[in-house]
Amino acid sequence: MTDETAPTTAAAEPPTPRGEQTRQHILDTAMRLFRERGYAQTTMRAIAKEAGVAVGNAYYYFGSKEHLIQRFYVDSQAEHRAGAAALLARERDFATRLRGVLHAGIDVLTPSHEFAATFFKTAAEPTSPLSPFSAASSEPREAAIALFRDVLEGSTAKVDEELRPELPELLWLAYMGVVLYWVHDRSPGQAKTRQLIDGAVPLIDRAVGLSRLRVLRPITREVLHLIRTIRH
Amino acid sequence: MTDETAPTTAAAEPPTPRGEQTRQHILDTAMRLFRERGYAQTTMRAIAKEAGVAVGNAYYYFGSKEHLIQRFYVDSQAEHRAGAAALLARERDFATRLRGVLHAGIDVLTPSHEFAATFFKTAAEPTSPLSPFSAASSEPREAAIALFRDVLEGSTAKVDEELRPELPELLWLAYMGVVLYWVHDRSPGQAKTRQLIDGAVPLIDRAVGLSRLRVLRPITREVLHLIRTIRH
């Protein structure tokens, strides 16, 4: 897997601790400015100035504002995995694992809720490289799908054999649905998103279990066929 | 039902044919400029100039750019209903009616596909009055839900009695999902959206039919309970 956010001039060299520190400082400053002023209104020049580094230095670490967001995605994804690790090591029940991973994802996103509401219009634009479905977002997307593969493979769930290889991506899509709801959630502390997770997990768990029933197999096939057809 | 887009100074007077013509001309000009230059980049002043009317005259008909879009929503909704009318008068089968209404909706939207991709970021912003879920959009939203109520009530479908009153809004939500997919659909002529409709309708039809089965009733209840809980 290539690290798209690494500066091309130094891609082969491991970052020095000092370099890593500067990179993190620029990223933190950028995210703060995006929150305070809005993504579109914040220039690389302003980020460099606020971070106290030369503009050229900022560009050395991040080729563009988009690279900053992509790094934010990658970091959030790593944090999500770390937040779910203990649960995934301990639990074997599919519904418990799924519920834990969904809550862990929202835990990581929670400090960014205000930012997400304003940033959403940029990420949701169909042609944006910052869309979670874009080619540029493939690294954090694949990592996220792999996390849902762990949810499934480490569980005792019995799943229809045709559904099994597709299920991790479907679970990730469901998670994207939860995030879409969370962005719009104006209940205090986004409590309704938590209720959505708690209510949806038993239904998903039941649907996954039912997929193996012989009488329902034609429906499973039909759903899978539809998903393959409409995949972009 | 009040007409929010009517100028407040003349709300009680019916529009003259001449006035209606001017209003339509301003709306058509605005939609063309939104397509060509983008929504955010187009001012009321530019719209008035391009339409060949005084700025004050443009404001007489439309209090703001948002009012122009709200009028576009209302008109599109009326066109949607008109496009589906013949089918709804003729067919009694639930799946046929639903399929026809979903396709009719996309028919109406198709000429605006390019505009929709750029406009989406404005309408999708959680706090925007132009969101289909906003208070300001309640008129076209209620009209759209009423159309799906017709789909159901004019059909021979047998539906669980607890599900029946909620189903029109759920069908409208499914339609919003189709529109979300359509906005992102880059297949030629948005052919994949048509496949999504054709593939999803039999599944929805089957789910509605199954809702009456005694063994599945607890699941129906659970789904309805979840939806009521998470409704904003």
Side-chain angles (χ1 to χ4, degrees), chain A residues 99-113:
Chain A
R99 187 176 171 280
V101 164
L102 293 175
H103 279 299
I106 298 300
D107 289 345
V108 170
L109 292 174
T110 294
S112 307
H113 188 253

Side-chain angles (χ1 to χ4, degrees), chain B residues 10-11 24-25 55 115 195 212 229:
Chain B
Q24 190 61 46
H25 175 61
V55 176
F115 169 65
Q195 292 178 295
R212 289 177 76 232
T229 306

Side-chain angles (χ1 to χ4, degrees), chain B residues 4-203:
Chain B
E4 292 186 22
T5 63
T8 46
T9 50
E13 302 166 30
T16 63
R18 175 76 194 273
E20 195 43 60
Q21 215 175 336
T22 306
R23 178 200 289 253
Q24 190 61 46
H25 175 61
I26 294 169
L27 180 59
D28 293 344
T29 305
M31 292 307 297
R32 178 165 60 75
L33 292 186
F34 291 162
R35 282 188 185 96
E36 289 171 7
R37 307 177 186 178
Y39 176 75
Q41 288 76 40
T42 306
T43 61
M44 281 295 275
R45 184 168 294 275
I47 294 164
K49 192 180 169 198
E50 186 78 10
V53 302
V55 176
N57 200 6
Y59 274 112
Y60 172 81
Y61 288 103
F62 298 99
S64 68
K65 286 202 293 178
E66 275 161 22
H67 285 76
L68 282 156
I69 295 285
Q70 291 293 357
R71 167 56 59 159
F72 173 69
Y73 286 171
V74 169
D75 289 355
S76 300
Q77 217 295 309
E79 231 184 293
H80 186 181
R81 175 169 280 277
L87 174 105
L88 292 181
R90 192 176 64 231
E91 298 284 349
R92 286 292 158 258
D93 176 61
F94 173 69
T96 308
R97 291 167 70 86
L98 178 59
R99 187 175 171 280
V101 164
L102 293 175
H103 279 300
I106 298 298
D107 289 346
V108 170
L109 291 175
T110 294
S112 307
H113 189 255
E114 213 179 322
F115 169 65
T118 62
F119 182 68
F120 180 67
K121 64 178 174 187
T122 302
E125 200 172 10
T127 55
S128 171
L130 298 174
S131 157
F133 301 95
S134 74
S137 301
S138 65
E139 186 187 336
R141 180 173 63 245
E142 290 305 325
I145 293 171
L147 182 56
F148 287 101
R149 195 170 293 118
D150 279 7
V151 166
L152 176 64
E153 296 305 333
S155 82
T156 53
K158 291 182 177 21
V159 183
D160 174 83
E161 280 314 306
E162 201 176 341
L163 176 61
R164 180 176 284 276
E166 312 272 2
L167 192 53
E169 189 171 342
L170 294 181
L171 295 174
W172 173 76
L173 269 176
Y175 174 56
M176 288 295 98
V178 170
V179 171
L180 178 67
Y181 183 86
W182 171 83
V183 170
H184 292 78
D185 188 354
R186 277 179 271 175
S187 63
Q190 298 89 50
K192 289 196 167 207
T193 300
R194 305 303 186 151
Q195 292 178 295
L196 170 61
I197 294 172
D198 292 342
V201 165
L203 292 168

Side-chain angles (χ1 to χ4, degrees), chain A residues 116-118 120-122 124-127 131 133 180-181 183-187 192 195-200 202-203 206 210 216 218-219 222-223 226 228-232, chain B residues 116-118 120-122 124-127 131 133 180-181 183-187 192 195-200 202-203 206 210 216 218-219 222-223 226 228-232:
Chain A
T118 63
F120 180 67
K121 64 177 175 188
T122 302
E125 199 171 12
T127 55
S131 156
F133 300 96
L180 178 66
Y181 182 85
V183 170
H184 292 78
D185 188 353
R186 277 179 272 174
S187 64
K192 288 196 168 207
Q195 292 177 298
L196 170 61
I197 293 172
D198 292 342
L203 292 167
R206 199 172 306 171
L210 289 173
L216 293 178
I219 300 188
E222 229 173 287
V223 172
L226 176 60
R228 286 185 197 123
T229 306
I230 66 170
R231 195 173 275 163
H232 286 300
Chain B
T118 62
F120 180 67
K121 64 178 174 187
T122 302
E125 200 172 10
T127 55
S131 157
F133 301 95
L180 178 67
Y181 183 86
V183 170
H184 292 78
D185 188 354
R186 277 179 271 175
S187 63
K192 289 196 167 207
Q195 292 178 295
L196 170 61
I197 294 172
D198 292 342
L203 292 168
R206 199 171 306 171
L210 288 173
L216 293 178
I219 299 187
E222 230 173 288
V223 171
L226 176 60
R228 287 186 197 122
T229 306
I230 67 170
R231 196 173 275 163
H232 286 301

Side-chain angles (χ1 to χ4, degrees), chain A residues 136-206:
Chain A
S137 302
S138 65
E139 186 188 335
R141 179 173 63 245
E142 290 305 324
I145 294 172
L147 182 55
F148 287 101
R149 193 169 295 116
D150 278 8
V151 166
L152 177 64
E153 297 304 333
S155 81
T156 52
K158 291 181 178 25
V159 184
D160 175 83
E161 279 314 307
E162 202 176 341
L163 176 61
R164 182 176 282 277
E166 312 272 2
L167 192 54
E169 190 172 341
L170 295 181
L171 295 174
W172 173 75
L173 270 175
Y175 174 55
M176 288 295 98
V178 170
V179 172
L180 178 66
Y181 182 85
W182 171 83
V183 170
H184 292 78
D185 188 353
R186 277 179 272 174
S187 64
Q190 298 89 52
K192 288 196 168 207
T193 300
R194 304 304 185 151
Q195 292 177 298
L196 170 61
I197 293 172
D198 292 342
V201 165
L203 292 167
I204 294 171
D205 185 38
R206 199 172 306 171

